[in-house]
Amino acid sequence: MAITAPLLWLDGAMVASSTAGAPLMGHAAQRGSLVFDVGSFNATSRGPALFRARDHVARFMRSARIVGLELAADEPTLVDAARRVVAESGSEQGLVRWSAFLDAREPDLVPRHHAAHVAVAAQTLQDPPRREPLRVAVFDDARKAAPDVLPPDTKAAAAYLGPMLARKRAIAKGADEVVLLDRDGDIAEAPIANAFAVVSGVLWTPPLGRVLPGITRDTVLAIARAEGIPVKEERLSLEVFAAADEAFLTATSLPIAAIGSVNGRPLRGAPGPLTSLLDERVTAARRGEDPAREGWLTLVR
Ligand code: PMP
């Protein structure tokens, strides 16, 4: 469960969360043009630390650029804003969310004004209860928007509507989550998580250009390479995915969730040994317990 901290950062000032809102008639709400990014902060022996905050801010700024939103704040300011909201929240672990939105009250699809508001908010997270391996559904006609329709590295609100409908469909069929296919019918990603398979000891994930460049995806790949685990960033068919030795999803909020079945077909022994090892290593990096990954932390106090 996430609880939003009482104060958030809005255009350079700390304000009450309850007073900050995107206007109903604004472009962000009516056209879904709000862009956002979500990072984590975690308890370390030196107090809470943001994980890969600069990478999240860089991706946030790239989303804004693609959608055409102009941000008045630069990267160090947005990292520092995250540090401030987390410090103000007083909590040790949770999520931090950067949002940029236009409040222009104009009905045009392409807005005339591009100066965006920027908000940064911290959300406290309780330790999630132990999660059962996910029952995943994959539908041949639930596909991610192709890169020429919507660049996959844009985290814009409107991009989540199709995936939301696909997840609703999966839930109605008794699954927990959906994995979307790409335009060619290969595995793309879940609505808010990247997908991985383990096949004969090789860690396999779909290539960039078709999926969001997940920060957890990158963390898993970096750790796996450092461990000498063979990795493959190549197109992954549904057949290979559904028959994999192990499969899992990665996202800041998870960080790794084992997949127990695909379209009702069980995967052997989820979570598998590589899934568990990577989960341990990613968690250790986030908690400041991996000296080789110190550079990914921003201490909050
Ligand atoms: N894919 C999509 C479409 C997402 O929205 C997210 C969540 N940001 C991810 C993958 C996972 O990315 P990350 O590991 O950076 O949270």
Side-chain angles (χ1 to χ4, degrees), residues 36-39 56 59 144 152 154-155 159-160 163 180 189-195 211-219 250-255 286:
F36 67 99
D37 214 284
V38 180
H56 282 284
R59 191 173 66 184
K144 221 185 136 55
T154 321
K155 282 181 69 70
Y160 288 85
L180 303 162
E189 60 186 333
I192 54 168
N194 292 107
V211 298
L212 184 87
I215 311 270
T216 321
R217 174 188 182 280
D218 185 69
T219 300
T250 65
T252 294
S253 57
L254 295 173
R286 286 166 41 131

Side-chain angles (χ1 to χ4, degrees), residues 276-287:
S276 300
L277 175 90
L278 290 166
D279 190 27
E280 255 169 52
R281 296 293 153 86
V282 172
T283 302
R286 286 166 41 131
R287 291 192 181 146

Side-chain angles (χ1 to χ4, degrees), residues 35-39 51-66 69 71 73-80 82 98 153-155 212-213 215:
V35 306
F36 67 99
D37 214 284
V38 180
F51 186 65
R52 302 196 63 173
R54 282 189 303 278
D55 296 311
H56 282 284
V57 166
R59 191 173 66 184
F60 173 63
M61 297 179 84
R62 190 166 68 237
S63 292
R65 227 175 8 254
I66 293 169
L69 306 187
L71 308 185
D74 60 9
E75 187 188 293
T77 305
L78 293 174
V79 171
D80 196 56
W98 294 265
D153 34 2
T154 321
K155 282 181 69 70
L212 184 87
I215 311 270

Side-chain angles (χ1 to χ4, degrees), residues 200-203 220-232 274 277-278 281 293:
S200 306
V202 177
L203 185 62
V220 164
L221 290 173
I223 289 174
R225 288 191 172 110
E227 295 281 333
I229 297 162
V231 304
K232 207 149 109 170
L274 198 51
L277 175 90
L278 290 166
R281 296 293 153 86
R293 312 282 169 209

Side-chain angles (χ1 to χ4, degrees), residues 83-169:
R83 201 191 51 71
R84 279 175 69 187
V85 294
V86 171
E88 282 282 348
S89 77
S91 41
E92 293 287 313
Q93 65 177 32
L95 300 175
V96 55
R97 182 178 283 261
W98 294 265
S99 308
F101 58 97
L102 301 175
D103 71 1
R105 289 156 210 270
E106 47 182 320
D108 289 352
L109 189 54
V110 177
R112 277 157 297 170
H113 305 285
H114 304 284
H117 293 289
V118 180
V120 188
Q123 293 176 300
T124 302
L125 271 188
Q126 286 0 337
D127 264 333
R130 246 193 82 74
R131 207 180 313 108
E132 291 299 316
L134 296 170
R135 292 163 301 181
V136 160
V138 183
F139 304 111
D140 188 53
D141 57 350
R143 301 201 177 192
K144 221 185 136 55
D148 53 357
V149 176
L150 192 60
D153 34 2
T154 321
K155 282 181 69 70
Y160 288 85
L161 199 58
M164 179 191 106
L165 298 179
R167 183 189 278 177
K168 274 180 72 172
R169 211 170 133 190

